[in-house]
């Protein structure tokens, strides 16, 4: 319904694994976002892409590596994660270029568990 | 620092009315959003307020007072499907969204 899909929906990985999260938006939007959502905490903005260029990186550890090959796709590459990285990772998109007062539309998220 | 406050959890009865409050302290203001998030699902947009006053949209209404740094979401004729978390978020002067931790609303029959 939201037009933003994420895969996988659930992921369990060890601390030495490498995995990738995928997000795709079918809304023709220009900006895409990665958020981390932990229980009872506010959404944490991780990365923002506008027209495929990264415009914001909120001091995210280097074990998280984003990639935006085009305006419809966004990846989050994960390596050597820590147990405290276990959370729901949400992708969102918006029509306006990042920096506008525009509604963000979210995907269903990937529930990540790091063992 | 920037801060959004909303109650952690609220309980209400089916058919009743509930008001979820949100207070904010941010560097600048370019609007306030309310989102609904069912467990395990995507947050979905409910409302956007940038001017003072009440915006009504069906059973849901959202109110804003910029001078008080205050908003509320009003849900009428509560239904069981309204059980969800409600997220308040403010656009600051840099157009960055500052999020509250969300209010979990539990509806009882």
């Amino acid at each position: 319904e939201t037009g933003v899909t994420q895969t996988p929906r659930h992921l369990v990985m060890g601390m030495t694994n490498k995995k990738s999260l995928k997000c795709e938006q079918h809304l023709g939007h220009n900006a895409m976002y990665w958020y981390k959502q932990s229980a009872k905490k506010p959404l944490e903005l991780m990365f923002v892409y506008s027209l495929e260029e990264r415009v914001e990186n909120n001091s995210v550890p280097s074990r998280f590596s984003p990639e935006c090959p085009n305006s419809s796709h966004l990846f989050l590459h994960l390596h050597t994660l820590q147990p405290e990285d276990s959370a729901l990772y949400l992708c969102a998109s918006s029509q306006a270029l990042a920096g506008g007062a525009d509604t963000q539309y979210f995907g269903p998220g990937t529930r990540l568990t790091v063992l | 620092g920037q801060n959004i406050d909303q109650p952690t959890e609220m309980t209400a009865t089916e058919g009743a009315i509930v008001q979820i409050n949100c207070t904010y302290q941010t560097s600048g203001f370019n609007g306030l959003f309310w989102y609904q998030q069912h467990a395990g699902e995507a947050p979905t947009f409910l409302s956007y307020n940038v001017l003072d006053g009440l915006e009504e949209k069906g059973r849901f209404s959202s109110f804003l007072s910029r001078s008080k740094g205050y908003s509320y979401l009003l849900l009428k004729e509560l239904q069981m499907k309204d059980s969800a978390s409600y997220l308040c978020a403010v656009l600051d002067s840099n157009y960055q969204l500052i999020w509250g931790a969300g209010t979990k609303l539990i509806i009882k029959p």
Side-chain angles (χ1 to χ4, degrees), chain A residues 9 35 37 42 56 99 101 104 107, chain B residues 35 37 40 42 91 95-96 99:
Chain A
R9 293 295 309 276
Y35 285 94
Q37 187 176 36
E56 189 160 352
Q104 292 181 20
Chain B
Y35 280 80
Q37 185 179 23
L91 267 175
Y95 288 93
Q96 180 168 339
W99 292 85

Side-chain angles (χ1 to χ4, degrees), chain A residues 2-11 20-24 33-38 43 46 76 78 87-93 105-113, chain B residues 37-44:
Chain A
T2 65
V4 181
T5 58
Q6 290 186 243
T7 55
R9 293 295 309 276
H10 300 273
L11 179 61
S20 295
L21 310 185
K22 179 183 176 182
C23 174
E24 185 173 358
Y33 311 77
W34 277 118
Y35 285 94
K36 177 183 179 183
Q37 187 176 36
S38 302
L43 286 176
M46 300 176 72
L76 188 63
L78 316 171
L88 182 68
Y89 288 84
L90 291 165
C91 173
S93 70
Y105 293 85
F106 286 83
T110 295
R111 173 67 63 186
L112 174 66
T113 302
Chain B
Q37 185 179 23
H38 286 99
E41 297 184 15
T44 55

